[in-house]
Structures are given as C-alpha cells and as structure tokens.
Amino acid sequence: MSYLLYVAFFGAAATIFLWLRDARIFFRTGLSGYRKAAYWGVLYGALGTFGLLCTIAGDMFELLGLGLILAALYLQGRMTREKIWTGTGSTLERALGSVKRPASNKK
C-alpha cells in the first residue's frame, strides 16, 4: 500500500465535503450559483469517488485515480458562485458554510 492511497482518500473526502458545503449554503440562502454548484458537485463527487476506487484497484491505475480526483477538485473550484462573506466571518464559519439566512417577509 502506497502513501498515495492516503492522498486519494483525503482528496475524495475534500470533494464530497465541498459538495455538501455548497448544498448547505444553497439551502440556507437559495442563491442560484450555489444551486448550480451543488448540482454539479454530485458529478464531481462521483468522479472523485471513482478516482478513489481506481487508486485502490492497484498500482497500474494509481496515478489515473489521482488524476481523476485532482480533476474533480479543479473543476469544482472553477464554479462561479455569489460572494456571500463580507470579511466578518471566521475561517471555520466559511469552511462549514455558515451563512446568515435572508430575512423573510412574514408579519
């Protein structure tokens, strides 16, 4: 077992985490950029998981699997999203996707 297997596990977990963060932000704010990112995150999560399976499969597919995970992370980072943080939040809040919900118009 190579050390690259640990890198693959971390990359696939990061892909899934970013997808879930985008989904959480979309459900809290309803912004269309995060909606699109959450939908595409399903595909990128599947690509990262497939890359992890290729890495686990053996030495011959190890680099192919790492390349797929890297491609999933790259494509996920290229999605355009609205800016929702104004610099007042902490890094932990941004990583977890904690955003304020918009005020409702109910009386």
Side-chain angles (χ1 to χ4, degrees):
M1 185 161 75
S2 173
Y3 71 93
L4 293 177
L5 186 61
Y6 298 114
V7 174
F9 274 116
F10 182 75
T15 305
I16 298 296
F17 174 77
L18 291 173
W19 163 50
L20 292 174
R21 185 197 66 163
D22 288 341
R24 180 174 189 234
I25 292 172
F26 165 66
F27 286 127
R28 289 180 65 93
T29 62
L31 296 172
S32 63
Y34 283 96
R35 176 178 166 255
K36 185 178 176 184
Y39 284 156
W40 279 94
V42 174
L43 177 68
Y44 300 144
L47 183 63
T49 304
F50 181 68
L52 178 64
L53 293 175
C54 286
T55 305
I56 292 172
D59 294 332
M60 189 168 56
F61 296 112
E62 196 170 58
L63 292 178
L64 173 68
L66 288 172
L68 290 174
I69 293 169
L70 183 63
L73 285 170
Y74 174 75
L75 292 172
Q76 197 168 27
R78 300 275 302 170
M79 298 292 299
T80 56
R81 300 170 186 94
E82 293 89 353
K83 299 211 182 287
I84 57 174
W85 288 287
T86 59
T88 59
S90 68
T91 304
L92 181 62
E93 289 175 350
R94 290 186 68 177
L96 296 177
S98 299
V99 294
K100 292 182 181 180
R101 293 179 188 222
S104 64
N105 293 332
K106 296 180 182 178
K107 291 185 178 186

